[in-house]
Amino acid sequence: MKKFKAVLTLIIVLLVVGLVGYITFVDTIKTNKAADSVSTDVADADDAADKAPEGKTPLASGIKKGLDLAGGVSITYQVVGEGTPSREDMSDTIYKLQQRVENYSTEAQVYQEGEDRINIEIPGVSDANAILEELGNPGTLYFIAQTDSTGADNYSYGIDADGNVGYVLAEGKTIDSLKADGSIVIEGSQIKGATATTQTSGKGVQEKEFVVSLTFNDEGAKSFATATEKAFSKGETIGIYYDGKFISVPTVQAVISDGSAVITGMESFDAASKLASTIRIGGLNVELQELRSNVVGAQLGSTAIETSIKAAIIGFIIIAIFMIAIYWLPGAASVLALAIYVILDILLILGFRITLTLPGIAGIILSVGMAVDANVIIFARIREEISAGKTVKAAIKNGYDKALSAIIDGNVTTVLAAIVLMIKGSGTVKGFAQTLFLGIVISVITALFVTRAIMDAFYELGLRDEKFYGKAKELRSIDFVGKKRIFFIISIVAILSGFIFMGVNQSRIGNPLNYSLEFLGGTSTNVTFNEEMSIEDLETKVIPEIEQITGDGNVQQAKVADSNEVIFKTRTLTVAEREAFNEMLEKNFSVPENQIQTETISSTISNEMKADSVIAVIIAVILMLIYIYFRFKDMRFGVSSVMCLLHDVLVVLAFYAAAKISVGNTFIACMLTIVGYSINATIVIFDRIRENLRGKRSELSEIVNRSVTQTLTRSIFTSLTTFIMVASIYYFGVTSVKEFALPLMVGIICGAYSSVCVAGALWYVLKTKIKGNTASGGKRK
């Protein structure tokens, strides 16, 4: 019976991997090739599926992709009114619009173009008109009193210009005339917030009703108090007027003087959400009107996507060969489980409609490394148990039991960071956190349950000989603690060199790092070619020329659908560089100067987004410290972990400064990847130190050395497998992908070094210099 279950388990696993893998990858590739003949270069997941041959439903192609991978809609608004808007008004408007458009995608970008324009880029959509209809004209919202100073109605129930029955402005009334006689009681800029929520109705049976909660700024609160006092005394309404229409006309039921109010009578939560969203978009400091809207292609282009997929496949194959060669039968089990992990990850990304971008791919890479890491920890434990004389069956059981705490602790700390970043982060940070969170959860499940089920099946089928599993070799403890001064000096020199390079860069280029347009803003150049340029032509012929002129490895391009127009975004160009750019286009592609337009654009990462990201990381680190304290009962483990984390970030920062790698959106993703990787690697070693402290009478330095030595193969193998994935992406990737992968490789090497050479030695120093409670079971020194 057990043998039958084992055979059935393996058959199910192989069928799942084969069938879903075929649907996910092979069928998708075939479908995409077939669809290429009928589709444009502007990629949209839903369109791709619609244009696929009948009977084909590509799974992986259904994943929502960000603007960098699939393109989307680009909308440009211009400020209405006389004079140039202030920097503060533009900044505030951009921030509010960013919050609004993230309802469409967490990867949406909002940035300033020129002095009075705002550009919005929303990935994964292709209907610009639908987006424009939902957004309306931002900044045209008013609260209107029912009657004017003479008692005449400002609005009444009737038929509007579109033939719809509802409230309309009274004959002869205009917004200007209403402003003149004081009937406009609140303007959109006086509204701080609008949120859909529920409250107890208070009618007989206590039921929940859907409402919109409003808050006003100080000026708005005073105006609203006066307006509601007048309306309440007369039993009147206050109409909410947006984009030429009344969107709500609530009756005033009390004098409201505290700066907050609720609109009741919503028939559903969706209706409340829609009204709240409309009020928020109308509550901007400036009034905007649409200038242009375009459907644009992927910023990274098809070559970047294809090479990334190819790199991932090759990296997976290399990891599969490596795991089987090192761990034999358990390695084969882990490869099958890892294949299921990849498939589940794709299915859940698809199911949760997560927008996948290059930073999101970073989260997947990190979680793949952690999936391998969990298996490596388990397999190392199994070999240790076999070497200790246990039977294979007992070794498998004990190996999983003893590895559990290290796997849980290492992954929980990273999950905490991912949850905080999902809640508090925005844009790129949120996309990274979503894929990381999903990946970690799935990796733990596949390592603890799927791999275990496959190994049990192998065992029941008669593969019980120790030679299939291997034995751990007795390793002589390496004196890591004794060499701590050398390690500390190396780390200090590496970190200080970074500050030196940043100082040199500051004096030469005016910034400590080579900030790209996402951080500093840059130049947007619209070029109308004489004939349509394919994505491949842009990537192979145009982009390299621009990179040579600008020295910018982070050039972004986007094709405008149904035209020969292409938008190139670079760091801010000098006059000489613009001239060289124009000469290149005229010489190589016969583009006249009147078909080239340039505009200065603001950074796509706003100060608010930077602040949100920093706050999110600080909160995540605090939560990590608290968790580590409760798990290890010794704050020095937490402090050492965070110091190693900081060490890795600073060393990679030094590499950015020395190599002058472009610092853009991928920089945030790279640093967050290193944070997650660093904390996981360090926790695994600390878990072994905690275990060896229990009931042991050895010298503290020897316990640390033995613990680091025992986990050394895990540290090396996990770092190697993750490095292989990233190196594969670097080798096959285009320039922008390389600039993301290279510092990530440095971070992986640095993370392995800090966890092996620095973490244990640092904890030892804190332990011997700062007295306090030891880990459970240890003795005081």
Side-chain angles (χ1 to χ4, degrees), residues 679-742:
I679 199 74
N680 179 269
T682 304
I683 289 296
V684 170
I685 291 176
F686 285 168
D687 183 83
R688 186 61 70 100
I689 292 175
R690 176 180 59 180
E691 179 183 326
N692 289 335
L693 279 170
R694 296 190 183 114
K696 301 295 182 182
R697 298 296 174 182
S698 303
E699 287 293 324
L700 192 60
S701 59
E702 176 54 30
I703 290 175
V704 174
N705 288 333
R706 184 166 67 253
S707 299
V708 177
T709 303
Q710 287 172 335
T711 56
L712 186 59
T713 53
R714 171 265 159 205
S715 299
I716 294 173
F717 290 162
T718 299
S719 299
L720 186 59
T721 52
T722 311
F723 187 88
I724 288 170
M725 286 292 291
V726 181
S728 181
I729 291 174
Y730 176 81
Y731 181 79
F732 290 102
V734 295
T735 303
S736 56
V737 175
K738 287 178 184 289
E739 291 211 335
F740 163 70
L742 185 58

Side-chain angles (χ1 to χ4, degrees), residues 366 490-491 494 644 647-649 651-652 655 670 673-674 677-678 681-682 685 712 714-724 726-727 741-758:
L366 177 57
I490 292 173
S491 296
C644 285
H647 164 277
D648 295 344
V649 168
V651 171
V652 174
F655 177 75
C670 179
T673 304
I674 291 163
Y677 188 83
S678 173
T682 304
I685 291 176
L712 186 59
R714 171 265 159 205
S715 299
I716 294 173
F717 290 162
T718 299
S719 299
L720 186 59
T721 52
T722 311
F723 187 88
I724 288 170
V726 181
L742 185 58
L744 203 54
M745 288 192 289
V746 173
I748 291 169
I749 295 171
C750 181
Y753 165 79
S754 68
S755 62
V756 171
C757 301
V758 178

Side-chain angles (χ1 to χ4, degrees), residues 456-510:
D456 288 344
F458 284 154
Y459 183 84
E460 294 301 332
L461 288 174
L463 300 174
R464 304 178 180 182
D465 196 310
E466 291 179 357
K467 67 183 179 183
F468 293 126
Y469 300 87
K471 286 185 178 181
K473 296 180 181 179
E474 186 66 31
L475 296 176
R476 183 178 177 183
S477 291
I478 301 172
D479 188 13
F480 290 100
V481 173
K483 298 180 177 63
K484 61 182 181 296
R485 283 188 177 85
I486 297 174
F487 297 141
F488 292 168
I489 289 172
I490 292 173
S491 296
I492 291 170
V493 169
I495 292 170
L496 289 178
S497 67
F499 289 108
I500 293 172
F501 278 114
M502 283 188 273
V504 172
N505 291 341
Q506 181 69 46
S507 63
R508 289 183 177 178
I509 63 176

